[in-house]
Amino acid sequence: MTSAGQSRTVTIGAAQLGPIGRDESREAVVVRLITLLREGAEAGCDLVVFPELALTTFFPRWFTDDIAGHDHYYETSMPSPATQPLFDEAKKLGVGFALGYAELTEDGRRFNTTVLVERDGSEVAKFRKVHIPGHEDDEPWRPFQHLERRYFEESSEGFGVWRAFGGIFGMATCNDRRWPETYREMGLQGVEMILIGYNTPIHYAPDPGQNALQGFHNHLCMQAGAYQNGTWVVGVAKGGTEEGVESLAQSAIIAPSGQIVAQAVTTGDELITAVADLDWCNHYKETLFDFARYRRPELYQRITSQKGVVAPPPESLAPNGGESS
Ligand code: ING
């Protein structure tokens, strides 16, 4: 981090995780997280970003009849006794971090949550995933389930941004990254870096033709979001073959230009880093994407007023069989 007056840089670490076994203890996972955190501190990171659901296996791949069947994969407090060592080490090292986890609230609500912690150990914010993909009920035709809509609520808190690490930071989670509205909501709040953890199976049961394109689609949506809103985007995977399911890795740090400045090359635990110049955002926010000057929200009404597609009425055949007169 540079002192005031110079360009504002943040040394960012994307701490990709390999598979987490079904029965791997949180304590064992926290040891892996602290190893990556220390590596980040060694590399001079101000902030280390961990993936979505970084404390446990991706349990929505299994159906449980009782919705509480997976409650042992949720956190009822953050930090918890098992994660306190991570918070303590981060504060000692003076490194901030973002951590994705399954949240079970006191009133029994379930969210796919990410907590952002500053270098002094203070909590900046919690983000709860907005776009929940997959399905609600057991679908035995699938080789594995994607039951996020069974085990998590869609957050109604939207996309916030917060001043931290010398800039304006926002968060999103996994499927959120595929929706352009996610980035624009934060872009309209001046976001300079968006932190996104993901767990993305390579096999997409509803359309396996997309399998070979998972890596392309992953970077496509984050690079577009970065460029079109003049913001850095940090995408961090839990990748590798986890409980028999091959999941996309390819974590990446993406500049406001849309360029990938760092990318993971393994499918395991791997830290990638970059020195992010937050002032670089202005090359886009103050020119091509000067929203106040160029946007036409009066013509974008469908985007917020309409949920699904409303197509034009079917073509009515003219009396002479459709020939235009
Ligand atoms: N995962 C997926 C994602 O949006 C998914 C959902 C799976 C989409 C497979 C496409 C293919 O990356 C989460 N956790 O949102």
Side-chain angles (χ1 to χ4, degrees):
M1 184 71 80
T2 51
S3 59
Q6 298 171 336
S7 71
R8 295 170 299 132
T9 62
V10 175
T11 302
I12 183 77
Q16 173 178 290
L17 288 176
I20 297 180
R22 180 181 195 130
D23 300 319
E24 192 165 343
S25 72
R26 282 185 183 55
E27 288 73 14
V29 173
V30 166
V31 168
R32 291 168 58 182
L33 301 179
I34 288 176
T35 300
L36 288 161
L37 187 80
R38 285 179 177 149
E39 195 180 333
E42 281 296 304
C45 288
D46 299 295
L47 169 58
V48 171
V49 184
F50 294 109
E52 171 192 32
L53 299 176
L55 294 172
T56 67
T57 198
F58 187 76
F59 60 86
R61 66 168 66 91
W62 298 300
F63 174 75
T64 57
D65 198 34
D66 172 3
I67 203 103
H70 281 332
D71 278 4
H72 57 288
Y73 287 122
Y74 291 73
E75 309 304 316
T76 53
S77 67
M78 185 52 70
S80 58
T83 51
Q84 189 61 54
L86 174 68
F87 283 70
D88 295 344
E89 183 71 6
K91 185 173 180 179
K92 191 178 90 180
L93 295 169
V95 178
F97 65 94
L99 179 74
Y101 63 96
E103 177 189 13
L104 177 59
T105 67
E106 284 180 1
D107 53 354
R109 303 178 70 187
R110 294 172 173 82
F111 295 102
N112 189 331
T113 300
T114 301
V115 64
L116 177 59
V117 180
E118 249 286 13
R119 292 151 294 181
D120 63 359
S122 62
E123 179 179 305
V124 175
K126 279 195 179 82
F127 168 76
R128 290 167 168 164
K129 187 172 180 180
V130 169
H131 299 94
I132 304 293
H135 47 104
E136 292 82 354
D137 302 308
D138 194 20
E139 296 185 0
W141 60 271
R142 293 169 179 259
F144 52 87
Q145 304 299 299
H146 199 100
L147 286 158
E148 285 194 65
R149 295 182 69 84
R150 181 178 184 78
Y151 299 120
F152 297 120
E153 272 186 54
E154 293 173 324
S155 161
S156 302
E157 297 164 17
F159 297 100
V161 300
W162 298 271
R163 289 191 182 277
F165 302 96
I168 300 175
F169 281 67
M171 292 180 270
T173 302
C174 206
N175 196 252
D176 288 329
R177 76 191 188 284
R178 300 181 190 275
W179 302 93
E181 294 89 345
T182 297
Y183 303 91
R184 187 48 51 88
E185 268 292 301
M186 290 184 269
L188 285 165
Q189 300 176 74
V191 75
E192 295 171 320
M193 185 173 284
I194 300 175
L195 316 176
I196 308 178
Y198 59 88
N199 287 237
T200 299
I202 298 292
H203 179 65
Y204 185 55
D207 178 19
Q210 296 183 33
N211 295 6
L213 297 171
Q214 288 297 0
F216 168 65
H217 288 155
N218 179 45
H219 287 160
L220 174 69
C221 50
M222 294 195 291
Q223 286 178 271
Y227 166 63
Q228 291 167 343
N229 294 279
T231 178
W232 288 85
V233 172
V234 184
V236 192
K238 170 137 67 66
T241 300
E242 184 178 89
E243 296 293 338
V245 175
E246 188 187 5
S247 299
L248 181 69
Q250 298 188 23
S251 303
I253 300 171
I254 298 163
S257 60
Q259 294 168 289
I260 293 176
V261 298
Q263 181 175 331
V265 294
T266 74
T267 58
D269 290 15
E270 177 181 350
L271 181 82
I272 57 173
T273 64
V275 178
D277 177 356
L278 298 180
D279 289 330
W280 194 352
C281 298
N282 296 329
H283 286 292
Y284 295 86
K285 290 182 188 295
E286 294 175 358
T287 61
L288 263 174
F289 297 112
D290 175 348
F291 290 167
R293 184 172 184 189
Y294 297 118
R295 288 187 71 245
R296 303 289 310 282
E298 70 278 9
L299 301 179
Y300 307 155
Q301 298 309 304
R302 288 187 187 84
I303 291 175
T304 55
S305 63
Q306 202 177 301
K307 185 174 173 77
V309 170
V310 177
E315 213 169 330
S316 55
L317 287 177
N320 58 1
E323 293 298 314
S324 52
S325 50

